[in-house]
Every structure is written in C-alpha cells, then in structure tokens.
Amino acid sequence: MNAKKYAAEVIGTFWLTFAGCGSAVLAAAFPQVGIGLLGVSFAFGLSVVTMAFAIGHVSGCHLNPAVTVGLAAGGRFPGGQVIPYIIAQVVGAILGAALLYVIASGKAGFDLAGGFASNGYADHSPGKYSLLACFVSEVAMTAMFLFIIMGATHGKVPAGFAPLAIGLALVMIHLVSIPVTNTSVNPARSTGPALFVGGWAVQQLWLFWVAPLIGGVIGGVVYRWLSDEPEGIVAGR
C-alpha cells in the first residue's frame, strides 16, 4: 500500500534530519564532551543504518530526493512514485527540524544565526569554500553515494549488509565534506533546517537541490551501465 510507503519515508527522513542535524546543533561542540566532526558524521550514518533496518522492507528507506531520483534513473524505482516520495521526504525533514528547534531553543542563548546545521557556500560554507567547489563536492559525493547504494542493493550481493555499507558511505561523505558545505547530499535534509533559519539559508538552498539531484542521476546511470540489472532491495539515505 503506497500510503504506508509514504508514511515510512516521512518517519525515516524525520529521524535522519532530527538525529543527524541534532547531533550537530546539540552535541557537536558541547562543553568538554562534544562529539565533533567525527561524531556528527557517524550520527548521520547511523540514522540511515537504523532506519534501513526498520523501514527498508516497507519503503526501501530512501529518505532523500536525490536517492529516489537516482534510483529511478538507474532503473530501480518507478517514475510514477518519485514525486510522492519526495514530498514525503521533505515533510519528514521539516518535522525533524521543527522538533530540533523546539528542543534547541530551550537553551539560554540559542540563536538561529549559528546556522542550525544548514548547508551553505562561500561565506556560509564552514571552510569558506567557493560556490564552484561546493557544487562540485555535492555532485561528486551524491554520485558516489548512489553508486554505492546501487551496488550494495544489487541482487548478487549477500543479503542483509546493504544498510551497513550505505550508512558507512554516508559517514565517509560527511567526514570529507562537512568543512565544505556542512554536507547535504540530500535536498530534504537541507530544506528542513533552512526553512527555520531563513535568509541566506533559503537563498542558497537551490544548490543543495540542484547539485545532489544531478549527482544522484549520474551515480544511478553510471552504475546501471556498469552492472547487469539486479533483483534486489532498494535502500538508501
């Protein structure tokens, strides 16, 4: 039943946004016990692993418009369900960001000017990377993410290991690209926090839709060309 698939995508993307962005907002620099870049990277990866095991059998656990589009481009997902999946993912991300805002704003001195885990380029890139560098990073990281997802869910791969491979890929992506864009590779994850920050975060949001979607299509198409078509599960961020 499609309604259950969409509900699963809402819940899964809610968890990814809340847990991943929450680790950055609430715990990354917490005095003395902050989890830092490594901890935030693992939080995003673990959010995917946990949801892939929980809802992979329901919706495929995409949790990401770029994954949905990339899987469709790779011949693994029906085109007619792309838009409903994306809507569900964006709704879930907004709900995750809303819950994070309620919790984070309960601390004295909380200020959305800190970024609220939003993605950005140029002056709003954590490392002040240029627009071009951020665009290339997001395209390349998302393309490799889709390539790994397509491979890990191939019908000839041992069953049950896909969530781990996909989650670890997301950890590696964050370890590399947090300094560049604060790591998106997921338009829904970017949209949730940006709507609360407003201003620059919304103005720069276009890049974190365009680049991941391009990267997703590249990854899906390249893997489709490289490998024979499988009969496997569909799982991913």
Side-chain angles (χ1 to χ4, degrees):
M1 184 177 180
N2 286 342
K4 291 184 178 180
K5 293 181 180 181
Y6 305 148
E9 287 294 302
V10 170
I11 294 168
T13 314
F14 160 85
W15 178 239
L16 180 146
T17 304
F18 174 72
C21 295
S23 71
V25 172
L26 303 176
F30 191 77
Q32 299 179 348
V33 292
I35 62 175
L37 186 152
L38 180 62
V40 172
S41 298
F42 268 95
F44 273 100
L46 290 172
S47 71
V48 170
V49 171
T50 52
M51 275 296 128
F53 281 116
I55 65 170
H57 65 287
V58 179
S59 68
C61 190
H62 296 190
L63 317 186
N64 181 342
V67 169
T68 299
V69 170
L71 290 172
R76 298 278 193 89
F77 190 71
Q81 291 190 41
V82 168
I83 296 301
Y85 259 58
I86 290 176
I87 292 172
Q89 292 153 2
V90 172
V91 168
I94 293 172
L95 292 175
L99 178 60
L100 178 57
Y101 177 79
V102 170
I103 295 172
S105 62
K107 179 181 178 180
F110 170 74
D111 188 354
L112 284 171
F116 200 53
S118 293
N119 302 111
Y121 56 84
D123 288 342
H124 299 289
S125 156
K128 309 301 180 186
Y129 286 83
S130 69
L131 168 60
L132 178 61
C134 292
F135 184 86
V136 170
S137 174
E138 288 291 321
V139 170
M141 294 297 171
T142 313
M144 288 309 303
F145 191 43
L146 261 293
F147 189 87
I148 292 166
I149 290 171
M150 293 280 286
T153 57
H154 193 286
K156 294 181 179 179
V157 174
F161 290 96
L164 297 178
I166 295 166
L168 288 174
L170 193 57
V171 171
M172 290 189 293
I173 287 168
H174 279 78
L175 287 174
V176 174
S177 62
I178 285 178
V180 183
T181 61
N182 217 19
T183 308
S184 172
V185 302
N186 184 337
R189 166 262 184 272
S190 297
T191 299
L195 293 180
F196 286 85
V197 175
W200 68 265
V202 172
Q203 293 167 11
Q204 295 193 354
L205 185 59
W206 68 269
L207 185 143
F208 304 104
W209 274 88
V210 175
L213 290 176
I214 292 174
V217 170
I218 292 172
V221 169
V222 169
Y223 194 88
R224 185 177 186 174
W225 168 79
L226 181 74
S227 177
D228 59 323
E229 281 310 294
E231 292 294 336
I233 62 169
V234 176
R237 182 181 169 192

